[in-house]
């Protein structure tokens, strides 16, 4: 489903990602762990070309979705971003109603059918485990929701445009433990229908929700394997040291 071949990425002269080869299967959760500044988020953002928005960057190698290189000149980035949804570290609802936050992507893409929009908003909010909490206040501002609810709203907004892949950059780091647990339960449910890639600093979280884990350090993918293997019996000493808290 997702694959990188010999990926190198540069911010100016800085070599941020070094020869990364990885393959992620459909309907799985893959977690990226590692110290701050090790390249996890940069690598995540390759899959919806968010790094294109940063000046003076350079990429070599191939980044493939369903066997197609998404950096090919023929690829339309706006179409790609419909396929690959993104949820950020801090909830970022739009200054609109709860309903319009979720409907936004549909309207931008030229969908005007009121019934289709209404049905999609409800379906997306249900998928994000938020419908029962907001169904009676859809016209209220999204800013009235709690932080955890806002983050689930942002997930619903990402789901509304029917992606097949969901990228999450530390989606629970700004949330309290109860909200974090809800996000984790949600991720577990969503992987039935989506391929999910998550960056997290919370190793317990990675252990709970992911099928596979990649450990990054200094721009390199040190180790990538089944999550149980990474946490219980890693092959590399650097991974063992990080998992046990000896550095990082």
């Amino acid at each position: 489903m997702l694959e990188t071949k010999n990926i190198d990425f540069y911010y100016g002269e800085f070599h941020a990602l070094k020869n990364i080869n990885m393959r992620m299967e459909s309907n799985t959760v893959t977690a990226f762990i590692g110290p701050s500044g090790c390249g996890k988020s940069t690598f995540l953002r390759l899959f919806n070309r968010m790094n294109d928005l940063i000046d003076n960057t350079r990429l070599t190698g191939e980044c493939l979705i369903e066997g197609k290189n998404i950096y090919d000149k023929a690829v339309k980035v706006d179409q790609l971003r419909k396929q690959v949804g993104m949820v950020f570290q801090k909830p970022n609802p739009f200054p609109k109603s709860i309903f319009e936050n979720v409907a936004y992507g549909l309207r931008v893409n030229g969908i005007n059918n009121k019934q289709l929009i209404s049905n999609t908003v409800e379906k997306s909010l249900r998928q994000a485990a938020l419908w029962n909490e907001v169904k009676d206040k859809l016209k209220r501002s999204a800013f009235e929701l709690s932080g955890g609810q806002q983050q689930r709203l942002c997930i619903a907004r990402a789901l509304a445009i029917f992606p097949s892949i969901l990228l999450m950059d530390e989606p629970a780091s700004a949330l309290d433990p109860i909200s974090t647990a809800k996000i984790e339960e949600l991720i577990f449910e969503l992987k039935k229908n989506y391929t999910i890639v998550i960056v997290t600093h919370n190793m317990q979280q990675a252990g709970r929700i992911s099928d596979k884990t990649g450990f990054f350090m200094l721009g390199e993918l040190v180790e990538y394997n089944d999550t149980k293997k990474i946490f219980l019996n890693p092959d590399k000493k650097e991974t063992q040291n990080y998992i046990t808290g000896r550095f990082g």
Side-chain angles (χ1 to χ4, degrees):
M1 181 63 177
L2 297 173
E3 187 174 8
T4 61
K5 296 180 178 179
N6 308 316
I7 285 287
D8 284 87
F9 185 82
Y10 299 82
Y11 293 106
E13 296 299 313
F14 177 62
H15 197 174
L17 296 172
K18 303 168 186 175
N19 193 36
I20 296 184
N21 294 275
M22 179 184 279
R23 182 179 175 84
M24 291 165 269
E25 300 299 331
S26 298
N27 302 106
T28 59
V29 179
T30 302
F32 299 159
I33 62 171
S36 295
C38 67
K40 307 182 298 292
S41 292
T42 296
F43 187 61
L44 182 79
R45 291 195 300 264
L46 289 180
F47 291 103
N48 69 346
R49 295 186 53 169
M50 285 288 287
N51 293 326
D52 290 13
L53 304 173
I54 303 169
D55 290 335
N56 197 24
T57 59
R58 182 164 57 91
L59 173 76
T60 61
E62 290 185 302
C63 188
L64 308 167
I65 294 179
E66 296 175 350
K68 296 178 181 176
N69 184 7
I70 62 171
Y71 284 84
D72 189 282
K73 289 180 180 177
V75 170
K76 295 180 178 178
V77 178
D78 56 341
Q79 294 295 323
L80 171 70
R81 289 182 184 150
K82 289 181 194 175
Q83 184 183 1
V84 186
M86 181 97 186
V87 178
F88 296 93
Q89 183 172 356
K90 292 183 179 177
N92 60 340
F94 299 142
K96 298 174 179 287
S97 70
I98 294 166
F99 184 94
E100 288 301 329
N101 261 271
V102 185
Y104 179 81
L106 297 170
R107 297 195 196 283
V108 165
N109 285 299
I111 295 171
N112 298 310
N113 184 308
K114 288 186 177 180
Q115 192 61 50
L116 175 59
I117 291 173
S118 182
N119 290 345
T120 303
V121 167
E122 179 176 343
K123 180 184 176 183
S124 301
L125 287 168
R126 286 187 184 279
Q127 284 184 295
L130 191 59
W131 175 252
N132 289 336
E133 295 167 49
V134 303
K135 62 184 179 183
D136 298 322
K137 47 185 178 183
L138 294 174
K139 293 182 180 179
R140 307 260 293 266
S141 169
F143 294 134
E144 293 182 23
L145 299 176
S146 70
Q149 289 174 321
Q150 286 185 15
Q151 191 65 305
R152 281 182 283 145
L153 179 67
C154 292
I155 292 171
R157 188 175 68 197
L159 297 177
I161 54 172
F162 312 112
S164 56
I165 298 160
L166 201 55
L167 309 178
M168 298 183 161
D169 196 353
E170 296 191 61
S173 66
L175 305 180
D176 62 85
I178 292 172
S179 297
T180 296
K182 286 186 177 181
I183 296 289
E184 290 181 8
E185 289 169 17
L186 176 57
I187 290 169
F188 194 77
E189 282 298 309
L190 288 174
K191 82 169 181 179
K192 295 172 185 175
N193 298 305
Y194 303 91
T195 303
I196 298 172
V197 189
I198 180 170
V199 167
T200 179
H201 274 113
N202 185 329
M203 283 186 283
Q204 289 82 11
Q205 182 176 77
R208 285 191 296 264
I209 66 170
S210 68
D211 301 290
K212 291 206 166 187
T213 297
F215 170 55
F216 288 77
M217 190 169 70
L218 299 174
E220 296 183 0
L221 178 61
V222 176
E223 190 166 352
Y224 174 56
N225 214 319
D226 291 343
T227 295
K228 285 185 179 178
K229 166 82 171 151
I230 291 285
F231 280 90
L232 298 177
N233 186 29
D235 291 329
K236 301 290 178 68
K237 186 176 180 183
E238 299 97 320
T239 311
Q240 179 73 34
N241 288 343
Y242 184 73
I243 296 288
T244 56
R246 289 184 192 138
F247 81 92

